[in-house]
Amino acid sequence: MPSFPSMHAVDFSPLSGFVCALDADDGAADWADDYAARLLSTLGAQVRRGARPAGRHPAIAWAQSGAMVLTGRADGPPQMCPLPLASCVDGVARALTALLAATGGRWQAALPGVETLGERAALGGLVRQGPISAGGACRLLRAADGWLAVSLPRADDWDLLAAWLESESGFAAGAGDGDAAWQALAGLLRERPLAALIERGRLLGLALAAVADVADIEQRPAAWFEARRIATQARQRRCEPGYRPPLVVDLSSLWAGPLCSHLLQLAGARVIKVESRQRPDGARRGAADFYDLMNHGKASVALDFASSQGIAQLRALLARADIVIEASRPRALRQLGICAEDLIAANPRLSWLAISGHGRDAPQGEWIAYGDDAGVAAGLSGVMLDLTGEPMFCGDAIADPLTGWHAALAALAAYLGGGGQLVALALTDVARHCAQFRLPGERAALHARWRDWQAEIAAAGIDAACLPLPRRAPAAARPLGADTAAILQELGISC
């Protein structure tokens, strides 16, 4: 199997010629508007900033997002994270609003905000558990020389442990027993070095991440996207008023990709959710209220990816899209005979958005990641360990919603820029990019910020002990494959 061509961010300025207005206060340091300006500028837009009152403090945004109540020990207080993660969500929301306004578009429903960081937990009844993720599938376990995040959300993952550790101790009897299996795993990891565990585990397909030192965030700068131009012929740009909503084909699952298409849907996009009949979106088995929130209003198409007819139907659907969203490892679609570059070359208006755990280049392109362990890989748990002395996760699978927001901005920008691009976002890189925003240069300064932000919450009288009220879907998501025949017929695709 040939390796995927190297990604880079050269010559990706889809918003060149766009003027986006951010009504920010130039005198007061507004975190969200500054972040919005940074994002739009990296996409090539000219940003104009006016005057308005400064936005909410990042400490207040963190508390109001629900992420604070999801951070810390179960028997301890909610923990402040001194990184402006929630303010970055505010910033992406402002960037999206400014971009939509620049083209004459408008939101079809109220745009959510920082509460998206906590709404899965609110709808699913999840709580903070310190070194155990809110969803329960990822834990921080001690190895011989540090802490390791291990995600085991599927039964197949547990089946890999014997090969990973070259020991079957406890797993055959305990894999279905929750804590018994985790305790057996913890005992086997204590004497083993991190680097060897991660290297072998990733080769087997496990989602793993080391809890990095706080200095690692600054030492490993991260771009929030990578891009390659595929189509070189002249494209029709959409920088003038007269916004035409795109047709989005969403192949993704779980949280980041569906949130991206949900946000595009709020911007007027028509979204077709495409799933394999054999392996539909695993989120269908989770909290129904959350699945409905992410996927209501999307047409549901289910295809047989094991048949030549199903692959031909998938290829035809992708050929008709303005935006494709997928969250597969590069080889997964290629094994189905689907090549993003070929489809973009054949349809120069197509914008292809690829979401991954660690990036698309080898070897990272084959590494698995989920929202919790990706946040650990980005350095978030390392920061909290340094501040509190205790291992803990930041929020609930926080890299997922952060990436979903950024992906929506990248997808809309690529579409408005005329398409012809493959844009890739990695959960780990997006989370690290947010963590690096206005990061103090000294460890002592980060500790001082942590104390100051806690005082800010106290002075504002913010109750960080409860999750915010979540949004509710106005309707249920469509059953699997409910719209297959209708969509294929409408688009002239053989059934």
Side-chain angles (χ1 to χ4, degrees), residues 3 16 29 51 54 61 86 126 161 211 221 223 253 266 284 288 307 317 340 407 435 463 492:
S3 62
S16 177
L126 308 181
L161 297 189
V211 175
S253 60
L266 295 179
R284 287 185 178 273
S307 72
L317 272 173
D463 180 9

Side-chain angles (χ1 to χ4, degrees), residues 71-148:
T71 304
R73 294 198 325 264
D75 60 352
Q79 289 290 340
M80 171 61 63
C81 177
L83 304 172
L85 306 178
S87 290
C88 289
V89 172
D90 270 340
V92 182
R94 294 186 187 183
L96 279 166
T97 298
L99 180 55
L100 199 59
T103 62
R106 61 183 180 85
W107 296 111
Q108 303 302 301
L111 182 69
V114 298
E115 70 274 13
T116 54
L117 297 183
E119 61 189 3
R120 186 180 81 150
L123 292 170
L126 308 181
V127 297
R128 68 180 179 276
Q129 304 181 78
I132 303 175
S133 66
C138 188
R139 298 199 183 193
L140 296 171
L141 304 175
R142 187 180 285 280
D145 53 347
W147 290 90
L148 176 70

Side-chain angles (χ1 to χ4, degrees), residues 119-201:
E119 61 189 3
R120 186 180 81 150
L123 292 170
L126 308 181
V127 297
R128 68 180 179 276
Q129 304 181 78
I132 303 175
S133 66
C138 188
R139 298 199 183 193
L140 296 171
L141 304 175
R142 187 180 285 280
D145 53 347
W147 290 90
L148 176 70
V150 182
S151 288
L152 302 172
R154 305 168 300 182
D156 289 351
D157 296 321
W158 287 95
D159 293 340
L160 295 172
L161 297 189
W164 179 33
L165 302 174
E166 299 177 291
S167 169
E168 297 187 10
S169 175
F171 300 127
D177 297 338
D179 278 345
W182 281 107
Q183 291 300 324
L185 176 59
L188 291 170
L189 295 183
R190 288 192 188 99
E191 305 301 321
R192 302 173 187 239
L194 277 171
L197 285 169
I198 292 174
E199 181 180 12
R200 181 174 176 84

Side-chain angles (χ1 to χ4, degrees), residues 4 7-16 43 225-233 235 237-238 322-326 340-341 343-345 347-354 360 410-424:
F4 190 83
M7 298 292 296
H8 56 84
V10 177
D11 193 31
F12 183 65
S13 299
L15 300 185
S16 177
L43 294 169
F225 69 86
E226 295 179 307
R228 293 180 61 243
R229 181 179 301 284
I230 306 298
T232 57
Q233 55 264 58
R235 298 162 296 135
R237 299 173 57 79
R238 302 177 177 92
D322 295 307
I323 298 172
V324 169
I325 301 168
E326 52 96 353
E341 297 94 328
L343 287 166
I344 297 170
N347 176 13
R349 63 179 172 79
L350 175 60
S351 297
W352 190 285
L353 192 90
R360 291 178 68 88
L412 185 59
Y415 166 70
L416 293 174
Q421 303 274 1
L422 192 159
V423 186

